[in-house]
Structures are given as C-alpha cells and as structure tokens.
Amino acid sequence: MRKDAMKLVRYGPAGQEKPGMIDADGQLRDLSGQVADISGEVLSDAGIARLAALDPASLPAVDGSPRFGPCVGQTSKILCIGLNYSDHAAETGAEPPTEPIVFAKALNALCGPNDDVEMPRNSQALDWEVELAVVIGTKAKYVSEADAMNHVAGFAVMNDVSERDFQTKRQGQWTKGKSHDTFGPLGPWLVTRDAVADPHNLSMWLDVNGERRQTGNTSTLIFNVPHVVSYLSQFMTLMPGDVISTGTPPGVAMGMKPPQYLKVGDVMTLGIEGLGEQKQTVIAA
C-alpha cells in the first residue's frame, strides 16, 4: 500500500459519526467542513479525487482518541461470500463452490472496529472471521469483470462475526447466524482503491486473547474481487456505500477440533496488511 494512501474514517458516538481522514503522520483530521459523510457521491472516483486534492494540514486536527464508527455511511446492504478461500473450504470439509455462495448480513450488524461484540442470548457457538471488505463507490448493475473495479471505492477490514448454531442448526438460510447487533465491525478506515496495489495479495490475521487463530492471504480467494462485484451485480444493483465481505481464511473456531468458540470476556484482535487493525471484547447481549 502507498505510504500516502488516503484513509477515510467516521468518528464520534454511534449514530453521530463525523467524516474524517488520517493524515500521513497518523493525525485524525475533521472533514465535516468538506463533506457531510463518507457516503454517496463522496465515494465516487470524482468525490475521492476532491478529498485527495485537499491539504490535510488545512483540516482541523481532532484531539484525543475518539471512537471510530463503521468507515462508510448510508450503506444499503451488506453482502457476504461464503467459503471463498480454498484453504478455509478445506478446513470445513466442504467442496470448493463452483460459483459464489452469497448471503446477507442485516444492517444492524454494522458497528465500529473497536466496539464491543455482543454474545446473543442462547448462543453456544460464537465465532470470528477476518475478511477483506469491498466498499462500492458507484452504482453497479450488470457490470463486466473488466469494468467491476471502476465501481469500487476502496477496501477495509471486516470481522464477519457468526453464531454457528443459529447459522447451521436453526434451519433456513445463514442470515440469522450472521445478523445480530455488532456482528459486522468495519474499519478502522476505508483505504481508497488507488492505494491498494493488489487486493489479491494481502496478508491477514486474527488473534483471540493474544493467541493466533487465523493466518491467511487474499491470494487464496477462490473468486476474486472483480468476479464477485460483477457476479453480484447480475442479481441486484450495488449502491455507493454497500459492503461486500469476501470470505475468510482458515482458523475459525468451527474448524478447530474440538471447536473453541468465543465466550464473554474474550478479546479478538485482527488486521489486514495496509488496511489497519480492529480489537473487540465479547460482552453479553
């Protein structure tokens, strides 16, 4: 990732986040005098170019360590790709899919990268999944793979928190195991597309209580980012701010023998090369 990469953030209390950017020295700068939110037209190539043209030193510095919210606003949907890493499919014993497995996460799952994660009532199998998230920048409908990246604003870290019993034992689709409040920490920042040289060669990791659980690289994606964006756009219109979580490498609790699911008080720390880190503590819902 380029050292001068623009990192866009949303900071402040939940539901009252302000737009900001992190400058080259790691200082948080307020963007609310320039844009209303990191959303909509701001995520287009032209919108990002306008922000990139600003002198960060001219923007107000934000003191202290405010909470970071999800790094994009006005999201209309969260779409996820299941079993999209060849090594993760192997650990679950599943055959690699022949086309993307798609499921949805409810919008209420979105939260900040360091917010507490709730363990749902009656949960027995709370799990983690470090994932590369793709943020859509411009409306995408029936786009080709060749054109797909032109509709991507950038990339971020996502933890696709999952309740495996709800997901696999409660009948129907996976959505109910993926959609509890706080099941979608996103951020800390959105790194714009131009700053990520190759989204298909990023190392990624996740620790639980300081012990490494997941180690992977986006190079083992079965379906790459252009394929996934184009594929999804054949079924639904992707809108600016929509989030696509592209799958997880091996090392999830469900794949351990025996499984070692999360419990209240556990701490997850995770990150992706060039895209920052997250940290969440599990609390009771």
Side-chain angles (χ1 to χ4, degrees):
M1 192 185 77
R2 292 204 327 254
K3 288 186 177 178
D4 62 342
M6 188 163 58
K7 300 172 181 175
L8 300 176
V9 301
R10 300 169 71 250
Y11 70 96
Q16 302 173 44
E17 291 93 350
K18 294 181 178 181
M21 73 163 61
I22 308 294
D23 70 19
D25 297 320
Q27 172 65 52
L28 173 59
R29 301 277 179 173
D30 180 48
L31 277 173
S32 53
Q34 306 292 327
V35 295
D37 200 357
I38 307 299
S39 64
E41 187 66 26
V42 174
L43 297 168
S44 69
D45 285 356
I48 286 171
R50 282 193 294 273
L51 294 182
L54 297 171
D55 175 10
S58 70
L59 301 169
V62 180
D63 295 328
S65 301
R67 168 190 174 271
F68 282 175
C71 57
V72 65
Q74 297 181 31
T75 300
S76 76
K77 50 191 168 293
I78 309 166
L79 301 170
C80 306
I81 309 299
L83 296 175
N84 197 25
Y85 280 73
S86 53
D87 36 8
H88 173 56
E91 86 170 332
T92 65
E95 285 292 317
T98 54
E99 59 180 292
I101 295 171
V102 178
F103 62 92
K105 246 176 146 63
L107 286 175
N108 57 277
L110 270 186
C111 66
N114 304 310
D115 290 350
D116 292 336
V117 163
E118 292 185 4
M119 174 176 278
R121 295 175 187 178
N122 304 311
S123 168
Q124 301 294 322
L126 189 64
D127 207 346
W128 56 81
E129 295 190 8
V130 58
E131 305 207 359
L132 173 69
V134 177
V135 176
I136 297 297
T138 52
K139 181 178 176 181
K141 182 176 183 177
Y142 297 123
V143 300
S144 66
E145 282 191 49
D147 186 42
M149 292 302 285
N150 294 324
H151 295 273
V152 172
F155 302 93
V157 181
M158 186 161 188
N159 189 354
D160 176 19
V161 183
S162 309
E163 213 298 334
R164 301 300 191 187
D165 282 359
F166 296 178
Q167 177 186 350
T168 62
K169 297 180 181 178
R170 300 294 293 273
Q171 297 194 351
Q173 299 179 340
W174 292 358
T175 307
K176 68 183 79 169
K178 298 283 190 172
S179 296
H180 189 80
D181 295 348
T182 73
F183 272 23
L186 181 68
W189 36 71
L190 171 67
V191 177
T192 51
R193 181 184 81 234
D194 62 312
V196 180
D198 183 3
H200 307 108
N201 186 23
L202 301 174
S203 58
M204 52 207 307
W205 56 274
L206 182 144
D207 294 348
V208 178
N209 301 329
E211 292 186 13
R212 185 58 42 98
R213 290 287 188 257
Q214 290 188 273
T215 303
N217 191 290
T218 55
S219 62
T220 66
L221 278 167
I222 297 171
F223 304 107
N224 68 15
V225 173
H227 183 94
V228 165
V229 171
S230 172
Y231 181 85
L232 289 170
S233 79
Q234 310 306 308
F235 301 99
M236 64 195 88
T237 301
L238 304 175
M239 299 299 293
D242 284 356
V243 176
I244 304 169
S245 207
T246 56
T248 200
V252 297
M254 181 174 64
M256 301 172 77
K257 295 183 175 28
Q260 295 184 29
Y261 292 115
L262 293 164
K263 52 191 183 300
V264 170
D266 283 349
V267 176
M268 292 175 281
T269 314
L270 58 146
I272 298 177
E273 178 184 352
L275 302 182
E277 298 184 8
Q278 302 184 350
K279 184 176 183 179
Q280 299 110 24
T281 301
V282 179
I283 63 169

